[in-house]
Amino acid sequence: MSAEFLRGATITNYGVTLFIGIGVPIPVLDADIARRTGISDAEIFTDIFDYGVPSRSRPVIRQVSYAELKSGSVQIGNEDIPAASLSSLKMARRVADALKMEIEAGRFLLTTPSIPISTRGTSRPMNQRATESVPVMLRTRPSLPEGQSVYRSPERCVHCGVCVSLCPAGVFRRDDSGDISYDASLCTECGLCMDACPHRAISVRV
Ligand code: SF4
Ligand code: SF4
């Protein structure tokens, strides 16, 4: 375990949380496991839900592959919507590299389970509370205070890409290595990114 893979975070309107990077080795014991673990992002699909509907049974807008999600935008209707992961691909690769080094050095051995998952008991579904209609809160653009500009702290940034999907001016970009670059000269000072970074890497400066 390395402290490098633990980061405190705070998400606006949610609270404090912890980002934990975990690597899980999958022993490739036969051809079937090799086939199942060898699938590409283009073969993994997930649903895009409409979070504008205040209900647990939100409608699915469309199905999308991980390859499309990781391309930086997804098409919904006639619009290209910016997309980014809340976790960091760059840090995930670092976790995988660290795990690979441990395995290659013979320091990471398979063991029997410490505690098997219990097959007894049942789980009860959560009761859904009746909801009143919730007014939709539209976020207004706050715009930066006079004379201030956006600054990204490279020490705090974990290269997750949340800011990439949010900034309409393309100030933040992900390169092929997974790094997020930052070009302050493109900033239009709209202020949308001010509370966006879970790691408080984005701030404003005079
Ligand atoms: S600045 Fe913040 S939101 Fe943007 S990539 Fe870095 S950690 Fe993520
Ligand atoms: S203030 Fe607006 S334009 Fe500038 S970096 Fe933030 S989101 Fe992008």
Side-chain angles (χ1 to χ4, degrees):
M1 189 76 187
S2 164
E4 183 192 359
F5 304 127
L6 284 177
R7 293 290 178 99
T10 166
I11 297 175
T12 305
N13 295 335
Y14 172 77
V16 292
T17 185
L18 192 63
F19 280 34
I20 305 173
I22 298 175
V24 180
I26 302 173
V28 180
L29 303 174
D30 56 31
D32 184 48
I33 297 175
R35 183 176 56 78
R36 289 169 186 270
T37 52
I39 60 173
S40 68
D41 287 337
E43 298 167 274
I44 307 172
F45 289 89
T46 188
D47 293 331
I48 299 178
F49 289 95
D50 185 352
Y51 270 75
V53 176
S55 157
R56 286 177 74 185
S57 53
R58 296 181 173 94
V60 173
I61 297 174
R62 61 162 290 210
Q63 225 184 30
V64 64
S65 73
Y66 269 52
E68 190 176 349
L69 282 174
K70 285 164 76 175
S71 74
S73 70
V74 295
Q75 187 145 25
I76 298 179
N78 293 326
E79 291 198 53
D80 274 333
I81 308 296
S85 166
L86 194 59
S87 62
S88 168
L89 183 61
K90 183 184 172 76
M91 293 297 271
R93 285 181 178 147
R94 290 241 286 268
V95 170
D97 282 344
L99 183 55
K100 187 178 169 195
M101 278 170 53
E102 291 294 305
I103 292 170
E104 285 178 344
R107 292 192 291 263
F108 192 100
L109 303 174
L110 293 179
T111 62
T112 51
S114 313
I115 304 174
I117 296 173
S118 173
T119 53
R120 292 185 184 173
T122 55
S123 54
R124 287 183 301 168
M126 286 171 65
N127 290 329
Q128 186 174 353
R129 282 179 295 179
T131 53
E132 296 167 16
S133 70
V134 180
V136 177
M137 304 289 286
L138 290 177
R139 185 173 175 184
T140 54
R141 293 189 174 194
S143 79
L144 296 191
E146 184 76 27
Q148 297 200 344
S149 57
V150 169
Y151 170 76
R152 185 195 62 148
S153 162
E155 299 80 30
R156 289 190 171 202
C157 178
V158 300
H159 305 271
C160 63
V162 168
C163 52
V164 179
S165 64
L166 193 79
C167 174
V171 170
F172 306 95
R173 289 182 185 276
R174 188 190 294 284
D175 65 24
D176 290 342
S177 70
D179 278 351
I180 303 298
S181 63
Y182 154 76
D183 182 352
S185 68
L186 298 175
C187 179
T188 59
E189 302 182 359
C190 69
L192 273 178
C193 64
M194 280 197 295
D195 293 329
C197 175
H199 303 281
R200 292 294 177 255
I202 300 174
S203 57
V204 288
R205 289 190 170 181
V206 177

